[in-house]
Structures are given as C-alpha cells and as structure tokens.
Amino acid sequence: MGRAEDEVVTLTSELIQIDSQNTGDLATTTGEAEAAAYVDAKLREVGYETEVIESGAPGRHNVFARLAGADPDRPALLVHGHLDVVPFDESEWSVHPLSGSVQDGYVWGRGAVDMKDMDAMILALARQFAAEGTVPPRDIVFAFLADEEAGGAYGSHWLAEHRPDLFEGCTEALGEVGGFSLTLGEDVRVYPVMTAEKSIAWMKLRVRSRPGHGSMVHDENAVTILAEAVARLGRHRFPLVLTESVQGFFDEITELTGIEFPTDSAAALDGAVAKLGGVARVVGATTRDTANPTMLQAGYKANVIPSVAEATVDCRVLPGRQEAFERELDELLGPDVEREWIRNLEAVETSFDGDLVDVMTRAVQEEDPRAHTLPYMMSGGTDAKAFVKLGMRCFGFAPLRLPPDLDFTALFHGIDERVPVDALTFGTRVLERILLRA
Ligand SMILES: [Zn+2]
C-alpha cells in the first residue's frame, strides 16, 4: 500500500476511465454504480466498513465511510466528492475523454477537475489513514456522491432528506469548488475558499390571453405580451450587491495587488474584475443577481394565435436577496405574466473564519509559501446546498497548485479537461495536512 501521494494519479485516472456521465435523465445515467463499486472496493480493501446507498432511483449509488477521531466529543467533519461527470462529445477532444491518459504532465479526461481529482485525493488519503492506523483529531465522514451535476435530487438532497443519520454529528463540510491557485502579478498565488453559492432558481413564465385567427387585428396576443416581458427581463441589469464573501475576496485582492474594485458603477466594477483573467466571468456573476431567459414555447400553427405562451428563465440570486429579487421581477414582468419556480435551490453563505479556515490557510502555506487564501462565492451550485440544510458550514477547497497560464475555470465541463500531475500530488499533501488538524 503506497502513500496517498503515490497512488492519487492512478486513482484519478482509473476513476476517469469509469463512464459516469450524468445526462440528467434516469434512463441513461447509469455509470455511478460502477464508480461507487470501485470506491467501495478500494475502501474495503484497507478495512473500512462502508455503506453503499441508492439515492432514490436504481443505480444511483453513494458510498459512505467513517473514520473515528481521537476526540469523540468533537463534531465530525464531512469530506465529500461527487462521482458523476457532465456529458462530452468525444469528437471535440484531442484524447478520448474516458482514457484517463497520463501524458505531458497531465491526467486527461472528463472529471479530471470536476471532480474525480478531489475524489481521488480523498480516497487516497482515506486509504492511507486506514493502512497506517492514523487517528485524525475528530471523526471524518467520507462521502462519494451521485447526481451532483443534475442538482443532487438523486444524490445529496435525497440523502440529506432520507438518511440524515449518515451525517450524524457533522457540523462542517469540505468539498468543491475552490482551492485551485490563481496567479496574480509576479509570484503571488491566491487559493480561493468557497464560502458561498448563489441560488439556482429556474422560473416558468406564462401568459394566458385571448386566442384568435392569425389573419385578424389582435391586441392581446399572448406571444407578443410574453416576448415583451422576456425582452425586458433579459436586458435588465440587477443592482450591484457585494455580500461578505465577495467583499472579502475583493479586499484581499486589493491588498495583494493594488487593484481597486470601485462600486460606484457596474461598468467600473466590471472593468476591474476583468483584470482577474479567466476567473473574471465567475466573479462578475457574483456581484449581482442574474435572470437569463433560456427557453420559449408557444403556438402550434402559423395562422393560430395561441391562448398560452411560456418561457423559462434561469435565475441566480445572491444570498439574502430572494425577496428583493422577486419584487424587482414582479415590477419588470407586470400584471399579465404569471410566474412560478420550477426549481429553487437556495443561495448559501458562511463566514470566512474559524478553526477550519485557519487550518486550510496554514496547510496550503506550508506547501506553497507564496500562497494566500481568500473567500469567494460560486455563481453555480454544489452539493453544499443540501448539507447547509442539515446545519453544516460548507467550504469548497480542493487544493491544486496550477501553472499561471492555465485557464482553469474553462476546464470545468470543458473540452480537453485535464489536471496537472504535480497539482494532484500537491493537493494530496495539502489535504492531508488539513485532515490531520481539522
Ligand atoms: Zn463538481
């Protein structure tokens, strides 16, 4: 049995070779069971009593293992990763996305950064701890989960609702998305710790009006009324609101680089954010709510004015903004448009402080003396949304020291997804330091 650092690359590669694409459709999402069986066998091999749980539908498998800590009175730490990946079109890739190929200093394939890399680090360390008889300061619950990429209805959310016992005693959680280095200026690296996520709120808009013949004069056309509302909403810019996480991110960057983030106008702030490079798109989206129309549906024949027209809008709302956001929506849409939430996973935020944050900061600085940690908010969502409901403080920190020129955020769900081999071994060392002190 090697040390975690020695087997993390092989584990990453082998996990990538298991096809666990999550299509969002139960009939075609079938690979998580094989990935879970792989993880389960690796844990059992070193003596864990694991539990494999099917979360709400056949084949949606999750693996849990608990490692007892030195102090049973301390609350437990949940360390979690998801085993599913987003689909791919292999014709666009320069290596096969399921190859797990190790070449040019990278491990290649779907899931290399989201998040079979972190799964492999967690698994490698869980194995090392058991093999060496390591006792961490407190209980660690290792969780490898299904269905994150489709929102976790058949994964984390199902488990939190139906099997809260699995998380007994857990007050903090460590998962994705954070910990990857961003290089600023000459040789300063920041490692963002995810402390917040916007909501994922999908909205259906509906206009019901008088149907009619397409050849007539008609002032109450549902398609026209809906289209006007959708256009107003799509062009609207919601106000700048900097929550604690985003303000903390900007403050730390200002201190390190001198870049100021003026908030007197959206244009000025966007201009400053653009200087951050690849991560600018994500950061920009965390300075305000967004509402992007994504689907339109109406009518069935060219000469019939339909009685109903519908649109779908992808809304992402900042922590604490839901009520104000809805008031703004109602003003924009006007009285003729009905709206309903077809999915609403709430925004979450925790503060950037406490022992676990200090441990993460120290661990990364011991492996990279030029490292700084800082809080950040993700514009998307993760399994953290489910664990917050169980009262946990959730952090995203999958440590990777990356080359300065790598556009890392573009690799998430991207073509030629890959992770540097030396980032994996670095991350394993950092994560080991965290888990041994957390
Ligand atoms: Zn992910």
Side-chain angles (χ1 to χ4, degrees):
M1 200 69 52
R3 306 256 315 155
E5 223 185 311
D6 301 326
E7 65 174 10
V8 67
V9 172
T10 305
L11 294 177
T12 305
S13 171
E14 289 180 357
L15 279 167
I16 289 170
Q17 290 167 44
I18 299 170
D19 182 359
S20 57
Q21 291 179 76
N22 186 341
T23 61
D25 171 23
L26 283 177
T28 51
T29 303
T30 55
E32 291 158 345
E34 190 187 341
Y38 173 86
V39 170
D40 186 49
K42 291 285 179 191
L43 291 170
R44 285 185 171 273
E45 189 186 10
V46 292
Y48 283 96
E49 283 180 32
T50 56
E51 193 173 353
V52 177
I53 298 113
E54 198 169 70
S55 45
R60 311 307 297 265
H61 286 188
N62 308 263
V63 187
F64 280 76
R66 192 180 269 258
L67 182 62
D71 183 354
D73 295 331
R74 279 192 61 197
L77 173 68
L78 173 67
V79 182
H80 62 98
H82 61 81
L83 294 171
D84 60 326
V85 295
V86 292
F88 51 77
D89 175 354
E90 64 182 79
S91 70
E92 298 171 326
W93 285 57
S94 43
V95 299
H96 193 285
L98 297 176
S99 68
S101 164
V102 183
Q103 57 187 73
D104 310 322
Y106 286 82
V107 185
W108 297 68
R110 176 57 85 223
V113 302
D114 186 10
M115 65 175 294
K116 288 179 168 174
D117 57 339
M118 174 77 157
D119 292 334
M121 288 187 221
I122 298 168
L123 182 57
L125 287 166
R127 281 164 60 79
Q128 178 188 308
F129 292 164
E132 296 183 349
T134 303
V135 179
R138 55 168 158 164
D139 281 14
I140 300 177
V141 174
F142 297 108
F144 299 86
L145 304 164
D147 200 33
E148 193 274 345
E149 295 294 358
Y154 295 99
S156 59
H157 287 276
W158 190 95
L159 292 162
E161 191 178 335
H162 295 92
R163 290 295 308 275
D165 58 297
L166 293 164
F167 307 96
E168 202 191 321
C170 293
T171 55
E172 292 173 317
L174 193 59
E176 58 175 358
V177 171
F180 49 88
S181 67
L182 300 166
T183 304
L184 303 171
E186 276 305 284
D187 198 23
V188 172
R189 274 174 297 282
V190 295
Y191 291 78
V193 179
M194 192 184 78
T195 49
E197 296 180 358
K198 292 176 87 176
S199 76
I200 302 176
W202 296 343
M203 180 173 67
K204 182 80 96 178
L205 300 180
R206 191 175 294 112
V207 172
R208 299 175 207 269
S209 192
R210 186 166 59 83
H213 196 289
S215 66
M216 300 291 151
V217 174
H218 192 109
D219 292 331
E220 303 154 72
N221 185 325
V223 175
T224 309
I225 298 167
L226 179 81
E228 285 170 346
V230 166
R232 278 196 301 278
L233 185 56
R235 295 197 188 289
H236 183 68
R237 289 294 166 265
F238 288 86
L240 287 179
V241 177
L242 302 190
T243 73
E244 192 184 327
S245 302
V246 178
Q247 188 66 59
F249 177 90
F250 287 147
D251 289 348
E252 183 67 19
I253 301 261
T254 301
E255 201 174 312
L256 291 170
T257 65
I259 299 173
E260 300 277 351
F261 295 92
T263 51
D264 37 327
S265 81
L269 183 63
D270 290 346
V273 169
K275 294 178 191 162
L276 298 174
V279 79
R281 277 190 314 272
V282 178
V283 174
T286 63
T287 59
R288 72 208 75 177
D289 306 324
T290 56
N292 283 308
T294 50
M295 296 164 80
L296 287 169
Q297 206 172 16
Y300 50 88
K301 196 162 185 290
N303 61 354
V304 178
I305 295 167
S307 58
V308 181
E310 293 182 332
T312 307
V313 185
D314 185 354
C315 304
R316 306 299 177 110
V317 184
L318 292 165
R321 272 277 304 169
Q322 187 69 25
E323 259 180 59
F325 178 77
E326 293 196 27
R327 270 201 306 277
E328 212 163 323
L329 272 185
D330 289 338
E331 244 164 70
L332 283 164
L333 295 174
D336 299 329
V337 183
E338 303 165 21
R339 65 171 174 85
E340 75 175 288
W341 297 114
I342 49 178
R343 162 173 280 182
N344 196 348
L345 298 171
E346 283 172 30
V348 299
E349 183 160 41
T350 189
S351 50
F352 184 63
D353 58 11
D355 291 345
L356 184 55
V357 168
D358 294 344
V359 163
M360 287 190 269
T361 301
R362 220 166 2 115
V364 73
Q365 283 174 344
E366 284 169 2
E367 293 293 335
D368 178 0
R370 307 302 304 267
H372 300 262
T373 56
L374 73 186
Y376 99 105
M377 182 189 296
M378 209 173 96
S379 55
T382 72
D383 284 332
K385 285 184 168 30
F387 305 136
V388 164
K389 285 195 242 161
L390 295 175
M392 287 181 231
R393 292 182 73 197
C394 293
F395 299 96
F397 198 71
L400 295 173
R401 181 176 165 167
L402 299 170
D405 50 348
L406 184 68
D407 186 359
F408 187 67
T409 52
L411 295 178
F412 276 79
H413 302 188
I415 296 163
D416 284 344
E417 184 176 348
R418 62 196 184 279
V419 65
V421 166
D422 58 5
L424 280 175
T425 51
F426 169 88
T428 305
R429 292 194 302 272
V430 175
L431 191 59
E432 178 179 4
R433 289 177 185 277
I434 295 170
L435 299 184
L436 291 181
R437 293 177 194 154

